[in-house]
Amino acid sequence: MADQELDPSTPSSLYMLSAFLAMEPAESLVAFARVCGEGSVTETVQRFIWDHCLSKADGKSHAPYVRNFLKKLITEVELNHGVVLDELYEQYAYYMTSLKDDNLVKGNARVCKFISFLFPDGCSELPSCPNSRKLVVPLQCSLNMLKGDTGCSVWPSSLFLSEFILSFPELVSNKSCFEVGSGVGLVGICLAHVKASKVILSDGDLSTLMNMKRNLEYNNLNIGTAGPGRVTDGLNMVKCIHLPWESASESGLQDLRPDVILGADVIYDPVCLPHLVRLLSILLTQRKSYSHKQNDSRQGSLSDSISVGDKVNHINRWNANEKDDRLDGKVNGAKQANTNASGDGFDACGGKTIWDGTTCGARKGPLAYIAFVIRNVDTFNQFLYLVDQANITITDLTETLKPINLLPYMQSYDRSNVRLLVLELLCISKEEMEVEVIHSWSAPRSLSTGLMYSFAQRDDMEVLDEPLYAHFLRVTGIDRPYREELLSKVESDGNKAVKEVIFGPGRKKYRFCKHIAKQHLSGLPSDLMKKGKHFILIRNPLDILPSFDKVVPPSFRELGLAELVSIYNELSELGKAPHIIDAADLQRDPEATLRGLCDDLDIPFQEAMLKWEAGPKPVDGIWAPWWYKSVHKSTGFQAAKKYPATFPFSLYGLLEQSLPLYNMLKRHVKQTSSLLNPPLPPPDLPVPANEKLLAWVGDEILTRDSAKVSVFDSVVQGGDSVWEGLRVYSRKIFKLDEHLDRLFDSAKALAFNNVPTREEVKEAIFATLIRNGMFDNAHIRLSLTRGKKVTSGMSPAFNLYGCTLIVLPEWKPPVYDNTHGIMLVTATTRRNSPNNLDSKIHHNNLLNNILAKIEGNNAKADDAIMLDKDGYVSETNATNIFLVKKGRVLTPHADYCLPGITRATVMDLVIKEKFVLEERRISISEFHTADEVWTTGTMGELTPVVKIDGRIIGDGEVGPVTQRLQDAYKKLTEESGVPIPAYNETG
């Protein structure tokens, strides 16, 4: 073996030579060298490598790669105690001394990589390999093949698609072919090799495009450069065009109309997918329209296509590299068309019928072949969804049309991860296409016309300007300057307008219908609301009303905000709660608002929606000269003026009527994010059931979001209010009278006037609880403010409206852990002295307590202990406090704290349970060394304390005295309380 030379034509030698030209990983080359040497890298093998590989390598461009290979090769021989050729040592030494600075060979440096397609015996009759056993394609590529510069990497998908073209040339020969995203140009070179009639390569990156053109020149191909729509005719020419997907337009691509579209590794960026699918949809559109009626000769091409659900279910298997037999069995007739009667699979060299759509009978349109490796399952699922929405069918051909293994030497190429899909547009005539309708509902003067112009800029959208207007004028009899012209030219029959105009056939995928809410009259077909996608555009009446009377006097009916609310409710009842956008958001951040709207409508956003040309539009309604003068001056959504115009107070009554309706709808606006003002996410409620509750404010019961007090109320202007906390147990309000006594005492101490009577307060409490159905495990925050002022100011003399009563009930279990106990810390904030603000007045000015609570929060404690001015314990920020020491129960004097009602109740229970009770000054160290500690309050009841300032209280468990008093308190709440009156059916 040492005296014989290796034959370069043997498969092992040919594989090693091809692997070197393709710059395969050094480990792969060494493995091939072992095969050639029958297990070891002999001197003969080394000589072959020197003569046929190293001596012919381009020393400049291949140097880093060759140096690495030499290092691996020499190490392999030395480890096996072989003899290394002197030439190899010398060459390695040369590279080690000449390549001192790796930076010189990094960055934008390229190497020439040779892809050698090796055709097996018996394939010489194929047009792809006449009288030749190999096709060598030189390519300029970056040094790092896995992380190369833009346009320089050769990915498995590109290799697979190239093999596919060379294995099945009949699919593309004599056909016009277009590749979306062409990278280094390998696929295009293979298309030219098999004699495609026209080859057009595109890419959105200019540096990639330049690299692609160089590779075409290296392969002796004529190059034509053009933009979309300007491709010149010519044989044997590969044309390159700069085509960013997001800017591709239907008009710019209309002259291309290829027979075959190809793409390798184009499914990778979620942001780009809508643009890619739109591009594919344009390219797949047939040159001539044809019927959507399918005949039986299609062999299941459409009926057997994979549903989105099936596709999504199978992607996870693909991602896990598992074979999916079920998916392969659902290929659109491909297996049936390419399997002979004996059941043999398709023989790539046998010349049998190949699947190009002709087996499907009526299918005459172009096909797209997409090779891909799933990088991200969610991204690919999004692709499946988008193509389904675009009316494109997908068929998996990976197992059906397996290309010949033309790259046997390329061990870095893992074909098992690559899938091949064929895409085609459903056979539906454009003239007979059922469009998807998007309904926009708004009040007049709400930027609705600008929004219509925005949607009109899309290449997949047709628009209708108020298709129900004529019906509205005919039914209502309302007069307008253009009434007769409108009725004579536009369909005024509501049924026909809905069925034939709004939902009639169209030429584009979507139809945008601008509706004014007041035109939604009763008697219209139910399909109007049941079909299509709906959204609502709102605008603050403060902005609508000043400009409204330029054409007609404003009125509640003309505004139509009540109808907008009705439309929202009707759609919600149908299970189609509409997306709501605010005109103010359109003006403040049009792109973010439109993107959010498009996401909600499940349509891709298009940049074109942000701009339009000034002047009248073909889509304008007949009424445009009267209403659209200002919008005709616009070219996009303009930011609102910094300072608005003065409101005409002659319309104040109309504003009062309409503003609550606007506010109701505004609560359902989905906030869009912004770099400057990110939206706050809706918070989770501690008790979700409290999302819907009724509260008493003033003299009425209101919903949660409507339960508000005036900005002139004293509680807003100075915290001038008193309050109580009440708890409901088993249809009874515990200690109601005691709490009301303290409420009225506090109000009297603060000199409130026009205070409601005790019975009035009770009736408000009872009515609110009954309305909410809250009869157990509920808490009431009862507030009485000094009331609304006639003007802002401190003086109670301005309070001439009487007090404001607030009854706020909530489902609320005890707020502390009464089973295991809580932790407290001592706050530096001192409790108010009676010299400043007497704590016996149960007032709403709780800043002193809140500051202490902040300290507790920062210490990650449940609450904070507050000391008096002399350093003795007063209470916590929210509760009274007790301790047990050697069987004696102690609690601080109420000099600096609120004498709580729960505190008094527990003090009575201490005596009833035969414990010694002592009320005196207590230092914080006494609490640190106590046997037991607990707090008391209406919201928390009787809560054990197991740690204070890091000190374990007692043994760290709930003590026996605490447990005994908890049981006594629970029994008392079950037995006492003021009953809530039963609902009287006849009353």
Side-chain angles (χ1 to χ4, degrees):
M1 183 70 180
D3 298 327
Q4 297 178 358
E5 293 186 358
L6 291 179
D7 183 359
S9 64
T10 61
S12 58
S13 300
L14 187 60
Y15 288 175
M16 184 167 61
L17 178 58
S18 299
F20 178 81
L21 290 173
M23 301 176 71
E24 282 288 283
E27 292 82 357
S28 299
L29 279 175
V30 173
F32 282 127
R34 290 195 207 99
V35 174
C36 291
E38 298 181 354
S40 62
V41 183
T42 63
E43 293 182 50
T44 300
V45 175
Q46 296 177 53
R47 177 61 58 186
F48 178 86
I49 293 173
W50 174 257
D51 291 340
H52 295 278
C53 298
L54 299 178
S55 62
K56 297 180 180 181
D58 182 344
K60 182 178 180 181
S61 62
H62 284 67
Y65 173 76
V66 173
R67 181 180 67 174
N68 185 47
F69 168 52
L70 278 169
K71 180 180 179 180
K72 298 285 186 182
L73 184 66
I74 291 171
T75 302
E76 171 73 16
V77 176
E78 289 178 341
L79 288 175
N80 289 281
H81 309 289
V83 177
V84 180
L85 292 185
D86 291 340
E87 292 91 336
L88 300 186
Y89 275 133
E90 292 172 2
Q91 189 72 1
Y92 182 61
Y94 166 74
Y95 284 131
M96 289 297 292
T97 56
S98 61
L99 298 181
K100 294 180 180 179
D101 188 357
D102 285 346
N103 291 328
L104 296 176
V105 294
K106 292 182 179 179
N108 293 323
R110 303 282 201 280
V111 294
C112 188
K113 180 180 177 73
F114 292 84
I115 305 295
S116 302
F117 295 98
L118 307 178
F119 296 93
D121 294 334
C123 286
S124 59
E125 68 274 16
L126 288 179
S128 56
C129 49
N131 304 317
S132 175
R133 294 192 60 200
K134 69 177 180 178
L135 167 66
V136 180
V137 179
L139 298 171
Q140 264 204 358
C141 299
S142 66
L143 293 177
N144 188 336
M145 291 306 301
L146 296 178
K147 297 180 180 178
D149 300 332
T150 303
C152 295
S153 295
V154 178
W155 297 97
S157 303
S158 180
L159 297 173
F160 187 96
L161 197 57
S162 300
E163 281 188 323
F164 177 73
I165 292 166
L166 296 173
S167 301
F168 306 116
E170 292 86 348
L171 290 176
V172 293
S173 297
N174 301 315
K175 292 181 181 178
S176 172
C177 298
F178 183 97
E179 186 179 10
V180 292
S182 304
V184 294
L186 177 61
V187 172
I189 294 167
C190 293
L191 289 170
H193 183 76
V194 299
K195 310 300 182 186
S197 62
K198 181 184 292 185
V199 178
I200 304 172
L201 307 181
S202 70
D203 208 281
D205 184 85
L206 288 173
S207 62
T208 301
L209 202 64
M210 294 302 296
N211 190 75
M212 183 198 315
K213 290 170 63 179
R214 283 194 290 266
N215 286 330
L216 296 175
E217 291 171 351
Y218 289 160
N219 287 272
N220 301 314
L221 294 172
N222 294 323
I223 303 172
T225 303
R230 302 191 303 276
V231 179
T232 57
D233 292 329
L235 297 174
N236 302 319
M237 180 178 286
V238 177
K239 301 172 182 66
C240 302
I241 63 173
H242 180 235
L243 184 67
W245 296 343
E246 64 273 11
S247 62
S249 65
E250 186 170 4
S251 58
L253 296 170
Q254 61 186 356
D255 294 332
L256 298 178
R257 300 301 187 199
D259 301 307
V260 179
I261 302 102
L262 303 109
D265 202 42
V266 293
I267 308 169
Y268 60 90
D269 187 349
V271 175
C272 297
L273 288 184
H275 307 303
L276 170 63
V277 173
R278 187 176 62 86
L279 178 65
L280 292 173
S281 180
I282 294 171
L283 294 173
L284 287 170
T285 301
Q286 312 303 313
R287 294 176 181 175
K288 296 181 180 180
S289 62
Y290 49 91
S291 174
H292 69 284
K293 296 179 180 178
Q294 305 165 17
N295 55 50
D296 295 336
S297 65
R298 289 183 55 82
Q299 299 187 25
S301 165
L302 297 180
S303 60
D304 292 339
S305 60
I306 309 165
S307 70
V308 172
D310 288 335
K311 296 171 196 168
V312 172
N313 291 335
H314 293 299
I315 297 308
N316 290 323
R317 297 190 178 195
W318 294 356
N319 197 49
N321 298 324
E322 297 180 8
K323 182 177 178 182
D324 193 337
D325 294 327
R326 287 197 301 146
L327 183 64
D328 297 334
K330 295 190 73 173
V331 173
N332 292 350
K335 283 195 173 182
Q336 294 89 331
N338 298 311
T339 305
N340 59 24
S342 63
D344 295 333
F346 177 73
D347 182 356
C349 301
K352 296 179 182 179
T353 303
I354 54 178
W355 195 88
D356 63 354
T358 56
T359 58
C360 294
R363 207 214 65 74
K364 299 294 183 183
L367 298 172
Y369 294 98
I370 305 294
F372 67 95
V373 175
I374 295 180
R375 305 188 195 181
N376 181 280
V377 174
D378 292 336
T379 299
F380 194 75
N381 286 345
Q382 181 184 355
F383 174 76
L384 294 176
Y385 175 78
L386 290 172
V387 295
D388 184 75
Q389 294 295 302
N391 218 31
I392 296 173
T393 61
I394 295 182
T395 305
D396 181 38
L397 297 181
T398 311
E399 301 300 325
T400 305
L401 294 184
K402 293 183 178 180
I404 309 170
N405 184 8
L406 302 179
L407 301 168
Y409 61 89
M410 196 169 281
Q411 295 188 9
S412 62
Y413 164 35
D414 184 4
R415 64 170 53 236
S416 66
N417 289 330
V418 185
R419 306 294 295 189
L420 177 67
L421 300 180
V422 62
L423 282 66
E424 63 176 322
L425 200 65
L426 279 175
C427 301
I428 298 176
S429 167
K430 277 194 170 185
E431 286 72 25
E432 297 180 354
M433 185 184 296
E434 182 178 351
V435 298
E436 186 169 9
V437 178
I438 296 172
H439 303 271
S440 167
W441 298 95
S442 67
R445 318 303 288 172
S446 298
L447 305 187
S448 57
T449 304
L451 191 59
M452 179 181 71
Y453 289 171
S454 171
F455 275 83
Q457 304 313 299
R458 298 175 60 99
D459 55 19
D460 57 359
M461 189 79 60
E462 58 185 65
V463 301
L464 295 178
D465 191 3
E466 300 182 36
L468 298 173
Y469 202 172
H471 171 74
F472 171 76
L473 292 184
R474 181 182 65 82
V475 173
T476 62
I478 292 175
D479 189 28
R480 289 290 186 269
Y482 40 81
R483 173 185 169 89
E484 295 306 319
E485 182 183 5
L486 181 61
L487 292 176
S488 65
K489 294 182 178 180
V490 177
E491 179 59 67
S492 61
D493 184 315
N495 287 317
K496 290 183 178 180
V498 171
K499 295 178 181 179
E500 299 175 11
V501 180
I502 294 175
F503 293 115
R507 297 182 178 180
K508 295 193 176 181
K509 184 175 183 181
Y510 303 107
R511 174 177 295 137
F512 179 91
C513 291
K514 170 195 161 190
H515 300 297
I516 301 300
K518 64 188 176 189
Q519 298 170 9
H520 180 242
L521 303 177
S522 61
L524 289 169
S526 60
D527 279 354
L528 178 63
M529 307 305 286
K530 291 181 178 179
K531 293 175 62 176
K533 298 175 179 178
H534 299 255
F535 74 91
I536 290 176
L537 170 65
I538 61 174
R539 194 180 189 192
N540 195 317
L542 278 168
D543 298 316
I544 295 177
L545 291 171
S547 65
F548 198 98
D549 60 355
K550 293 179 180 179
V551 179
V552 295
S555 67
F556 187 76
R557 180 179 182 184
E558 288 290 348
L559 245 63
L561 284 173
E563 284 79 4
L564 265 187
V565 173
S566 176
I567 289 168
Y568 176 83
N569 291 335
E570 183 176 350
L571 289 169
S572 298
E573 290 172 1
L574 290 171
K576 302 174 62 174
H579 185 69
I580 300 180
I581 62 172
D582 196 313
D585 293 328
L586 270 178
Q587 292 179 301
R588 179 169 50 251
D589 193 343
E591 181 172 350
T593 305
L594 289 172
R595 283 186 182 275
L597 176 60
C598 288
D599 286 345
D600 195 78
L601 295 173
D602 290 328
I603 63 174
F605 170 75
Q606 293 185 12
E607 295 284 347
M609 298 176 70
L610 298 174
K611 294 291 182 182
W612 54 82
E613 294 182 0
K617 310 291 188 295
V619 299
D620 287 344
I622 292 171
W623 49 92
W626 285 267
W627 290 98
Y628 295 175
K629 291 179 182 179
S630 60
V631 74
H632 283 164
K633 299 176 183 178
S634 69
T635 58
F637 294 105
Q638 303 298 317
K641 294 179 180 180
K642 184 176 181 180
Y643 299 108
T646 301
F647 185 78
F649 281 89
S650 60
L651 303 176
Y652 190 81
L654 186 54
L655 179 65
E656 282 190 312
Q657 293 174 338
S658 56
L659 198 56
L661 300 173
Y662 163 78
N663 288 331
M664 176 267 170
L665 293 170
K666 186 174 175 61
R667 287 199 294 269
H668 299 283
V669 172
K670 184 192 299 182
Q671 295 298 319
T672 56
S673 62
S674 155
L675 291 177
L676 295 178
N677 298 302
L680 292 174
D684 295 326
L685 300 181
V687 180
N690 288 326
E691 182 179 4
K692 297 178 180 179
L693 56 78
L694 301 170
W696 182 288
V697 180
D699 58 359
E700 60 181 335
I701 292 179
L702 301 170
T703 60
R704 179 186 178 111
D705 288 331
S706 299
K708 300 176 175 65
V709 296
S710 169
V711 294
F712 285 95
D713 198 285
S714 287
V715 72
V716 177
Q717 300 223 345
D720 191 1
S721 173
V722 296
W723 70 284
E724 291 294 324
L726 307 171
R727 184 164 284 285
V728 179
Y729 300 93
S730 303
R731 298 192 69 94
K732 297 186 296 294
I733 304 174
F734 188 60
K735 299 289 182 178
L736 173 60
D737 289 316
E738 290 86 340
H739 281 287
L740 292 182
D741 287 342
R742 188 170 64 186
L743 180 78
F744 287 109
D745 285 347
S746 297
K748 187 172 184 179
L750 291 177
F752 281 11
N753 290 321
N754 300 311
V755 177
T757 67
R758 192 181 191 92
E759 280 306 308
E760 288 173 335
V761 174
K762 279 188 175 183
E763 290 304 318
I765 294 171
F766 294 149
T768 307
L769 289 174
I770 292 170
R771 287 291 190 187
N772 282 282
M774 292 183 179
F775 303 116
D776 191 25
N777 205 29
H779 178 270
I780 300 169
R781 175 85 173 201
L782 179 67
S783 300
L784 186 67
T785 83
R786 195 181 296 272
K788 190 168 64 173
K789 294 176 177 290
V790 294
T791 185
S792 60
M794 185 184 301
S795 175
F798 297 147
N799 292 83
L800 302 178
Y801 293 96
C803 293
T804 303
L805 177 65
I806 303 171
V807 182
L808 174 59
E810 290 183 280
W811 299 106
K812 184 172 290 189
V815 295
Y816 302 111
D817 185 351
N818 291 347
T819 302
H820 301 95
I822 63 172
M823 181 179 73
L824 303 177
V825 294
T826 303
T828 60
T829 303
R830 297 302 175 98
R831 195 66 174 91
N832 284 331
S833 165
N835 291 329
N836 303 316
L837 184 60
D838 194 345
S839 298
K840 293 174 180 59
I841 302 174
H842 204 198
H843 54 80
N844 273 63
N845 196 324
L846 299 175
L847 289 179
N848 181 245
N849 303 66
I850 291 170
L851 288 172
K853 179 62 176 176
I854 290 172
E855 293 188 59
N857 289 346
N858 291 337
K860 294 182 169 38
D862 297 282
D863 267 332
I865 294 176
M866 301 182 72
L867 309 180
D868 63 23
K869 67 180 182 64
D870 295 322
Y872 291 99
V873 172
S874 174
E875 61 179 350
T876 76
N877 57 273
T879 57
N880 296 121
I881 190 166
F882 291 76
L883 69 80
V884 177
K885 187 69 174 179
K886 296 181 179 180
R888 299 171 67 87
V889 178
L890 290 81
T891 191
H893 285 299
D895 296 338
Y896 294 88
C897 70
L898 176 75
I901 292 171
T902 308
R903 172 182 181 268
T905 302
V906 172
M907 292 172 73
D908 290 341
L909 291 175
V910 168
I911 296 172
K912 288 182 181 179
E913 295 295 322
K914 309 300 183 184
F915 294 113
V916 176
L917 175 67
E918 185 175 348
E919 188 178 9
R920 66 170 173 83
R921 278 184 160 188
I922 308 174
S923 67
I924 188 63
S925 61
E926 291 183 86
F927 277 93
H928 290 162
T929 59
D931 298 328
E932 299 178 46
V933 177
W934 69 78
T935 65
T936 60
T938 302
M939 281 207 297
E941 299 177 339
L942 200 152
T943 303
V945 178
V946 294
K947 184 184 288 187
I948 299 176
D949 297 329
R951 282 85 162 177
I952 301 297
I953 303 303
D955 59 1
E957 303 291 335
V958 181
V961 177
T962 307
Q963 290 180 338
R964 185 168 162 185
L965 291 172
Q966 281 181 324
D967 294 340
Y969 186 87
K970 184 176 184 296
K971 183 178 180 182
L972 184 64
T973 61
E974 293 172 350
E975 296 173 350
S976 61
V978 176
I980 300 169
Y983 176 69
N984 188 344
E985 294 288 351
T986 60

